[in-house]
């Protein structure tokens, strides 16, 4: 089902609105979120319960084209969906970890003079249109990223 992603603070793992965790994953129990300590180069963060990860986020301030090419190639046979071009170069695809199903998105984009990468992995929830959710989350993530690093978003990197 397509519904808007709640977008209000506080944000967990940099990019995930706390108000969206239960709605997007279908999980309503207790969970833990990793540190929101900002790293100048790149970092990963997990929101999880005792059994599995609910969200995994990561960013790389200065990422090579090869990273997104590998990301897209990995998802090629996993129900891929291309992300809107205004977000940058990226895709959404299925992913499995420890027998748990996930949907993941990755986008390579300009922020200031850097070519940056953000990835978001979310626990599968058949009650949601997770491609739509991940597009909205990526918009939120890019906005938060630009605020965090004081840079201007610029769509896909050149070349």
């Amino acid at each position: 089902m397509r519904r808007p992603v709640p977008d209000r603070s506080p944000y967990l793992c940099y990019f995930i609105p706390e108000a969206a965790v239960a709605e997007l994953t279908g999980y309503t129990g207790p969970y833990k979120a990793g540190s929101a300590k900002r790293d100048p180069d790149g970092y990963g963060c997990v929101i999880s319960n005792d059994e599995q990860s609910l969200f995994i986020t990561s960013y790389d301030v200065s990422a090579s084209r090869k990273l997104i090419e590998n990301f897209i190639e990995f998802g090629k046979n996993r129900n891929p969906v291309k992300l809107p071009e205004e977000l940058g170069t990226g895709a959404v695809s299925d992913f499995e970890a420890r027998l748990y199903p996930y949907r993941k998105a990755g986008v390579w984009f300009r922020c200031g003079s850097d070519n940056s990468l953000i990835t978001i992995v979310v626990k599968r929830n058949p009650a949601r249109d997770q491609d739509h959710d991940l597009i909205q989350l990526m918009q939120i993530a890019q906005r938060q990223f630009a605020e965090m690093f004081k840079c201007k978003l610029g769509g896909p990197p050149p070349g």
Side-chain angles (χ1 to χ4, degrees), residues 9 15 36 38 48 56 66 76 89 91 93 97 100 104 119 123 132 148 157:
S9 63
F15 311 130
R38 187 182 105 180
S48 64
I56 304 167
K66 190 71 176 157
K76 196 157 64 173
T89 302
S93 63
Y100 292 109
K104 67 177 185 160
T119 63
K123 174 187 173 292
H132 183 70
M148 217 165 56

Side-chain angles (χ1 to χ4, degrees), residues 5 11 21 23 36 38 44 69 76 98 111 127 150 154:
V5 170
Y11 294 91
V21 172
E23 187 167 336
R38 187 182 105 180
E69 287 172 350
K76 196 157 64 173
R98 290 187 280 153
C111 201
K150 310 280 188 260

Side-chain angles (χ1 to χ4, degrees), residues 99-119:
L99 303 176
Y100 292 109
Y102 294 90
R103 195 79 176 137
K104 67 177 185 160
V107 68
W108 189 54
F109 62 100
R110 295 286 293 168
C111 201
S113 61
D114 290 318
N115 297 334
S116 302
L117 178 76
I118 294 174
T119 63

Side-chain angles (χ1 to χ4, degrees), residues 14-124:
Y14 320 108
F15 311 130
I16 307 301
E18 185 175 47
V21 172
E23 187 167 336
L24 299 188
T25 64
Y27 176 77
T28 58
Y31 57 84
K32 299 173 273 213
S35 167
K37 178 190 112 199
R38 187 182 105 180
D39 187 280
D41 299 317
Y43 194 70
C45 187
V46 177
I47 301 168
S48 64
N49 60 27
D50 289 338
E51 186 178 316
Q52 74 178 109
S53 299
L54 304 173
F55 282 96
I56 304 167
T57 66
S58 67
Y59 68 84
D60 189 331
V61 172
S62 184
S64 71
R65 175 180 290 281
K66 190 71 176 157
L67 280 175
I68 196 63
E69 287 172 350
N70 288 344
F71 185 92
I72 291 169
E73 181 64 29
F74 179 80
K76 196 157 64 173
N77 296 319
R78 293 173 170 85
N79 196 18
V81 172
K82 188 175 177 185
L83 286 173
E85 197 169 300
E86 64 267 13
L87 290 174
T89 302
V92 176
S93 63
D94 290 334
F95 176 71
E96 194 171 284
R98 290 187 280 153
L99 303 176
Y100 292 109
Y102 294 90
R103 195 79 176 137
K104 67 177 185 160
V107 68
W108 189 54
F109 62 100
R110 295 286 293 168
C111 201
S113 61
D114 290 318
N115 297 334
S116 302
L117 178 76
I118 294 174
T119 63
I120 300 173
V121 177
V122 62
K123 174 187 173 292
R124 289 294 273 168

